Amino acid sequence: MSPTLHSTLSSGALVMVDIPGPILDDDTAEHLRRRGIRSVCLFRKNVESESQLRTLCADLRAVMGEHALIALDHEGGAILRPLFWPFAPSAMNQGAARDEGLTEDVNAALARQLRSVGINWNFAPVLDVNVNPANPVIGERAYGADVDVVTRMGGAALAGHDRAGVAACVKHFPGHGDTSLDSHLALPRVDKPREALDAAEFAPFQALLPRSPAMMTAHIIYPALDPERPATLSRRVLTGLLRDEWGFDGVVVTDSMGMKAIDDHYGRGEAGVLALQAGADLVMALGRREAQDATLDAIQAALDRGALDAAQMQASVRRLEALAERYPAQADPTLNPMDDAPLLADAWARGLSAYRNPVAPAPGSRVLLVAQAKVPRENVSEASVDAQTLADELRGVYDVHLHAFEDPAELDWAALRGQERPVILATTSRHRHAALRGAQPDLHLALYNPYAALDVDAPALITYGFQPEARQSILSWLRAERRATGTLPFPA
């Protein structure tokens, strides 16, 4: 390996970081310049308003240069950092609508939102096939439990992003849909033979390779491919399968290396080097400055001593630069995200799904609403709707008495059903609650995790999300203005 080649490489070109707040402060700007960093991922902490976000992106591009990559998790549903644009439906809501044209339009709208402020990379769509109803991290983020649905809708999402001029990034390769652990918190395994993986988890990723400009790795061990290392750190997976066997030549970015699946088992610096050796192009080194520096220093040391293949690293830099050239981080002031509000509201309503033939109480009835008082944001997801907001909105249809709970285990269903009002239970949490198994309201409104309908012994209306547009679709259904025509991701 040539020392000359090594000398032209900087670890900053191979690392993505996050920044502390909504402005690019002088210290952070100097950190980005000094380390040669050209990729930043934004989070809720970085977003206050449309004008602020546009200014931040312009400042980042001024520091990082023309090959800047500014990314965001902007999937739809609960995974949307800006709260000032119309909300796009979750992937599973789009999958329930079964309309590829609609999915393409929704994803073009998502991309237009980002391009309006100068963000050029969206970490979406999710190509995981959510075959495990107990999956704690994917759920409604997937288009469904059917390989064909995920592939068709994923392809439409990629087309929408490309049409609107924003780079998409399929995730979480090779597939996160059959895990029972959240890789933010632990290191999952998918113990399936290769034949089963090819038929399910792998299928959407392989089918959509020619249309995928970038791919994000999963921190999951797949023993059929590599019994020791998670995919993010596995050369057998990222080079052997993805590059050599499948021929993918797009960008490969790791998921956050601060997730416990990696952080609890490998040092930050070591993990960054292993990911690049495995075949990743970009290491997502998120978190405190010390963690970023540990990754940057370890990668630079590996470059300097020849532990990273120079030709491979140069190819990675070229892929990243090509992505930024194809999708430049430049704001388009002609775009107005509010123009897409009618499209996104209609899309939410078209995914509305019925389970066990739900019947709405007659408008004007006295009803008892049972809902969680407050549901905080949780790692990748934003905060769900609170009980009081739901009650206030339902009062446009009913005479509502609210029973707000903190813990579903404290609910006395005999007493609730004895109040001589139809009981409406709203589930608004990301996770299913064992305490709700066998609960018997008259109507269940599943506003977040659709699989909660399998626990509650009642007919259900399923929205696959809690955003205002989803709640408006419920009100339209309760008033008999809208039918629930979506297709469930599980047998009715």
Side-chain angles (χ1 to χ4, degrees):
M1 284 176 277
S2 165
T4 304
L5 273 177
H6 282 299
S7 66
T8 65
L9 286 169
S10 164
S11 61
L14 303 166
V15 172
M16 170 175 273
V17 302
D18 60 337
I19 61 175
I23 64 170
L24 183 59
D25 62 272
D26 291 343
D27 178 64
T28 302
E30 174 56 26
H31 172 62
L32 298 177
R33 285 193 197 94
R34 180 170 50 84
R35 304 305 303 242
I37 293 165
R38 298 191 288 187
S39 304
V40 163
C41 185
L42 302 179
F43 291 90
R44 186 77 192 89
K45 65 186 178 181
N46 307 121
V47 178
E48 288 183 343
S49 70
E50 197 166 22
S51 60
Q52 165 270 323
L53 189 53
R54 188 176 292 111
T55 298
L56 175 60
C57 291
D59 291 345
L60 284 168
R61 189 176 192 274
V63 169
M64 295 192 296
E66 62 179 345
H67 292 123
L69 289 166
I70 305 172
L72 194 70
D73 288 297
H74 202 55
E75 299 173 15
I79 318 298
L80 294 165
R81 306 305 171 219
L83 305 181
F84 40 77
W85 290 325
F87 294 97
S90 65
M92 195 168 282
N93 178 286
Q94 296 170 57
R98 293 291 199 275
D99 186 328
E100 290 169 67
L102 179 65
T103 295
E104 180 175 337
D105 288 344
V106 165
N107 281 268
L110 279 168
R112 281 191 292 271
Q113 291 175 349
L114 299 183
R115 195 158 65 87
S116 72
V117 295
I119 295 170
N120 61 339
W121 199 5
N122 188 10
F123 289 150
V126 170
L127 295 188
D128 303 317
V129 183
N130 198 76
V131 295
N132 184 354
N135 195 316
V137 68
I138 301 301
E140 87 298 337
R141 298 172 66 194
Y143 289 104
D146 179 88
V147 171
D148 180 63
V149 169
V150 173
T151 304
R152 289 191 293 110
M153 297 303 155
L158 287 167
H161 277 81
D162 188 63
R163 187 178 99 201
V166 169
C169 181
V170 298
K171 61 187 186 185
H172 305 81
F173 172 78
H176 212 315
D178 196 16
T179 56
S180 55
L181 296 175
D182 182 346
S183 52
H184 292 85
L185 307 174
L187 178 58
R189 294 170 61 95
V190 175
D191 288 298
K192 289 182 174 180
R194 174 66 191 267
E195 296 77 13
L197 293 169
D198 284 334
E201 276 85 350
F202 295 177
F205 293 99
Q206 187 173 16
L208 296 174
L209 281 184
R211 301 162 70 179
S212 301
M215 186 171 296
M216 180 181 289
T217 67
H219 303 327
I220 301 172
I221 292 176
Y222 303 81
L225 298 176
D226 187 333
E228 296 178 358
R229 290 184 175 174
T232 296
L233 309 182
S234 172
R235 190 166 179 83
R236 295 184 190 178
V237 175
L238 300 190
T239 297
L241 175 65
L242 185 58
R243 298 289 193 204
D244 296 342
E245 186 177 333
W246 289 1
F248 182 63
D249 195 38
V251 167
V252 175
V253 56
T254 74
D255 207 338
S256 170
M257 303 297 268
M259 293 160 62
K260 289 183 179 294
I262 298 296
D263 216 14
D264 282 3
H265 297 83
Y266 305 87
R268 280 293 187 97
E270 176 194 2
V273 173
L274 289 173
L276 293 174
Q277 289 174 334
D281 298 304
L282 188 65
V283 174
M284 199 183 297
L286 307 182
R288 65 194 186 280
R289 179 72 61 81
E290 308 87 81
Q292 295 179 14
D293 283 338
T295 302
L296 289 158
D297 290 344
I299 291 173
Q300 191 62 55
L303 287 169
D304 293 343
R305 69 175 184 272
L308 288 168
D309 181 84
Q312 181 184 325
M313 296 304 104
Q314 292 283 17
S316 291
V317 171
R318 286 194 294 270
R319 290 188 190 102
L320 293 164
E321 290 179 347
L323 190 70
E325 289 169 4
R326 182 176 173 186
Y327 304 98
Q330 292 177 314
D332 185 343
T334 69
L335 296 174
N336 180 6
M338 298 310 297
D339 291 343
D340 289 315
L343 161 70
L344 299 179
D346 181 61
W348 274 105
R350 288 175 62 182
L352 203 62
S353 303
Y355 176 69
R356 291 172 56 180
N357 302 311
V359 176
S365 301
R366 299 166 66 245
V367 302
L368 174 64
L369 173 65
V370 180
Q372 189 167 345
K374 197 171 184 65
V375 185
R377 76 180 307 276
E378 181 185 343
N379 56 54
V380 295
S381 67
E382 299 300 327
S384 185
V385 62
D386 62 272
Q388 188 60 59
T389 297
L390 277 180
D392 292 344
E393 292 175 347
L394 286 178
R395 288 190 178 107
V397 183
Y398 301 119
D399 174 5
V400 178
H401 177 73
L402 173 62
H403 182 92
F405 63 85
E406 300 290 343
D407 182 351
E410 298 170 355
L411 293 172
D412 183 341
W413 283 99
L416 293 170
R417 290 184 59 83
Q419 295 189 29
E420 298 183 353
R421 295 176 179 233
V423 179
I424 299 176
L425 169 67
T427 51
T428 55
S429 172
R430 182 178 194 199
H431 297 293
R432 296 165 65 178
H433 287 290
L436 292 176
R437 290 176 189 156
Q440 292 184 313
D442 296 288
L443 174 64
H444 175 200
L445 304 177
L447 275 88
Y448 198 163
N449 190 325
Y451 300 98
L454 301 175
D455 301 324
V456 177
D457 185 13
L461 184 70
I462 300 174
T463 62
Y464 311 96
F466 53 78
Q467 303 290 11
E469 293 86 347
R471 306 195 307 267
Q472 284 301 312
S473 72
I474 287 177
L475 296 178
S476 295
W477 181 84
L478 292 170
R479 295 189 186 106
E481 298 167 354
R482 172 79 71 162
R483 294 173 54 238
T485 58
T487 302
L488 293 165
F490 47 78

